[in-house]
Amino acid sequence: MLKVDVSSALSFLPQDWFTARQAALEEARVKLENGSGAGGEFTGWVHLPRDYDKEEYARIKAAAAKIRSDSDALVVIGIGGSYLGARAVIELLASPNYNLKKKDGPDIFFAGNGLSTDALLEVIDLVKDRDFSVNVISKSGTTTEPAVAFRIFKALLEEKYGKEGAKGRIYATTDKARGALKGLADREGYEEFVVPDEVGGRYSVLTAVGLLPIAVAGIDTDALMAGAAEAMEALAQGGADNPAWQYAAARHALYEGGKKVELLACYEPSFRFFAEWWKQLYGESEGKENKGIFPASVEFTADLHSMGQYIQQGERLMLETVVRFDQSRGEFTIPHDPENVDGLNFLAGKNLSFVAEQALRAVTLAHVDGGVPNLRVDLPRRCERAVGQMIYFFEYACGLSGYLLGVNPFDQPGVEAYKNNMYALLGKPGYEQQKAELEARL
């Protein structure tokens, strides 16, 4: 089971950082377990690794096998929680260079997560002359970015394969009973998977939302779910040894002590999109009522040469959480250079992973000395089981953290403000008065 190490933050924490929050953590645990807290109707993810729909799961694996057999590419259309989790797991467990590697499955492209014309045209250019399928992910089917992208790729498929042929290449992950995409999928006969009512988008990676693209990438979803189930069982037990309790309590105490920004760091470039997923999870869950830690991320050691100066000596408003994998997937021994031009022969014969570990230790000491408390999440290796544990750990700790903060960790009322403005400015029917008011301001 993954572990949390708070030793490099203790000098910044009050002596009672854990005991003062223990009762509140137990209250939060009960709320998560029985769905009795604010937003409790969206806590279906808590027991999901045990209670997931086994019949749908089998259909997900069958659909993934079909896509792997008949497609050179899969276009995953979704935004926010509808794509970040899948991309996070694929890049972390397969590779950020997944599409460039030799493999027995299709390339995977992500679209509908922005409004860049150039980005969309690039994906079209990459798939138009190949056999491809589409997985469109949207609970409503009306969110602007994915809806526009789906219109385009649906038309491409129908032009390439005809309406009947396209039907067998479109997989809709949407609401089980209502919404524009659900209605379209029913009429056209697309294969459908469910975005559960009781699981919000940012918590949905272990549902069909994430599992279908992950399975298409050839990742062992059985092991991923098994790791999440292990974490579910372990984290349901409260107390001082619970890593989710430790993490939630420490970051809450640091927040109350003035640390308003959390940097999630890792020494693996493949972690980049996991950090993006984590930023939505915590930002959307905690950032409300003028409260919450601002989630940011850095990639070490690269960002030590760009952001390192600020982290070391800038405003003292940060804490760091470092994700560490104990073992690399392979080893590389640094060679001896007879000329020793770079002066690094003292490293000859050492493994690169040893150098990286010393860098982590050195950075931790320097940042702590500079006033940045460090928390660490330790996992044995980059594998499906460990990543399943990590997904569930961060989700569970996020639920605890939201309740400690006194907010509903499962809604996102602020997200609608920009959407309503955009609908008005685009001329959506029913927004005429708001359009006039906004254009007057502009």
Side-chain angles (χ1 to χ4, degrees), residues 51-69:
D51 298 340
Y52 64 92
D53 184 334
K54 309 303 189 295
E55 185 276 331
E56 183 182 60
Y57 182 72
R59 288 197 302 112
I60 289 169
K61 294 175 76 173
K66 178 179 179 295
I67 294 167
R68 286 171 62 82
S69 70

Side-chain angles (χ1 to χ4, degrees), residues 79 115 138 140-148 415-436 438-439:
I79 195 166
L115 292 169
S138 175
S140 67
T142 59
T143 302
T144 304
E145 295 91 337
V148 167
V415 172
E416 298 305 314
Y418 95 86
K419 289 183 180 179
N420 289 332
N421 285 352
M422 186 168 70
Y423 292 149
L425 292 172
L426 288 170
K428 185 173 182 177
Y431 287 78
E432 291 80 5
Q433 182 177 346
Q434 186 175 347
K435 177 181 174 67
L438 291 175
E439 288 186 338

Side-chain angles (χ1 to χ4, degrees), residues 167-409:
K167 179 180 75 173
R169 291 179 171 273
I170 296 174
Y171 302 82
T173 306
T174 189
D175 192 272
K176 66 181 178 182
R178 66 180 75 85
L181 181 56
K182 168 64 178 171
L184 177 66
D186 286 350
R187 289 194 306 274
E188 299 292 335
Y190 306 151
E191 181 156 11
E192 298 177 39
F193 300 100
V194 174
V195 180
D197 288 339
E198 65 278 12
V199 180
R202 59 190 179 273
Y203 292 86
S204 68
V205 59
L206 298 177
T207 71
V209 171
L211 290 177
L212 179 56
I214 290 168
V216 170
I219 290 166
D220 185 349
T221 55
D222 291 347
L224 190 74
M225 296 300 286
E230 290 168 353
M232 179 191 75
E233 184 175 342
L235 299 181
Q237 311 303 315
D241 294 330
N242 185 313
W245 281 37
Q246 295 167 354
Y247 179 58
R251 64 193 300 277
H252 184 259
L254 291 168
Y255 172 70
E256 290 194 330
K259 301 301 183 183
K260 306 300 185 184
V261 175
E262 181 175 10
L263 298 177
L264 188 69
C266 187
Y267 287 72
E268 292 293 341
S270 60
F271 191 79
R272 176 191 167 197
F273 264 89
F274 196 96
E276 295 299 318
W277 170 81
W278 172 87
K279 285 193 283 190
Q280 181 189 3
L281 179 65
Y282 279 79
E284 206 165 67
S285 296
E286 290 189 308
K288 53 201 70 164
E289 300 178 23
N290 298 313
K291 300 177 184 178
I293 299 174
F294 183 83
S297 61
V298 285
E299 179 192 315
F300 288 162
T301 60
D303 283 338
L304 294 171
H305 297 261
S306 56
M307 296 298 294
Q309 173 61 39
Y310 190 96
I311 297 169
Q312 192 70 42
Q313 294 183 326
E315 286 274 359
R316 300 298 78 192
L317 44 68
M318 294 171 292
L319 68 112
E320 273 181 346
T321 297
V322 179
V323 173
R324 173 180 172 272
F325 296 98
D326 290 341
Q327 299 174 25
S328 299
R329 288 179 167 180
E331 279 298 351
F332 184 86
T333 302
I334 298 171
H336 181 272
D337 180 356
E339 297 184 11
N340 197 27
V341 174
D342 52 20
L344 294 179
N345 270 350
F346 70 97
L347 296 177
K350 292 183 170 62
N351 290 329
L352 188 59
S353 58
F354 168 81
V355 179
E357 179 66 16
Q358 304 320 306
L360 184 152
R361 298 172 73 193
V363 171
T364 299
L365 291 170
H367 287 182
V368 168
D369 288 347
V372 181
N374 266 238
L375 307 173
R376 202 174 74 219
V377 178
D378 287 326
L379 298 110
R381 62 186 65 83
R382 277 193 304 139
C383 65
E384 285 88 345
R385 192 174 292 269
V387 171
Q389 289 182 8
M390 183 167 59
I391 288 169
Y392 191 89
F393 161 78
F394 277 122
E395 289 179 343
Y396 196 81
C398 187
L400 294 175
S401 294
Y403 286 139
L404 283 182
L405 197 60
V407 301
N408 178 349

Side-chain angles (χ1 to χ4, degrees), residues 23-170:
L25 283 165
E26 173 60 20
E27 184 179 336
R29 183 193 70 80
V30 171
K31 289 177 179 177
L32 291 179
E33 287 297 313
N34 61 25
S36 60
E41 66 272 25
F42 295 109
T43 53
W45 58 271
V46 174
H47 300 125
L48 180 72
R50 179 191 67 202
D51 298 340
Y52 64 92
D53 184 334
K54 309 303 189 295
E55 185 276 331
E56 183 182 60
Y57 182 72
R59 288 197 302 112
I60 289 169
K61 294 175 76 173
K66 178 179 179 295
I67 294 167
R68 286 171 62 82
S69 70
D70 70 9
S71 300
D72 299 317
L74 172 68
V75 180
V76 180
I77 297 175
I79 195 166
S82 294
Y83 96 102
L84 281 172
R87 186 162 186 179
V89 174
I90 291 168
E91 293 209 0
L92 185 57
L93 288 175
S95 171
N97 302 308
Y98 170 81
N99 287 350
L100 299 175
K101 297 182 72 173
K102 291 183 179 179
K103 54 189 178 296
D104 61 0
D107 290 347
I108 298 177
F109 299 98
F110 294 91
N113 50 63
L115 292 169
S116 166
T117 300
D118 291 350
L120 189 63
L121 287 172
E122 184 173 89
V123 176
I124 291 170
D125 191 52
L126 289 165
V127 304
K128 65 182 181 181
D129 297 325
R130 308 166 72 189
D131 285 320
F132 73 97
S133 295
V134 166
N135 177 205
V136 56
I137 307 166
S138 175
K139 193 163 180 65
S140 67
T142 59
T143 302
T144 304
E145 295 91 337
V148 167
F150 181 52
R151 276 194 178 203
I152 293 166
F153 284 99
K154 175 175 174 288
L156 282 174
L157 283 171
E158 291 179 349
E159 180 183 350
K160 188 178 181 72
Y161 300 103
K163 202 169 183 66
E164 188 64 25
K167 179 180 75 173
R169 291 179 171 273
I170 296 174

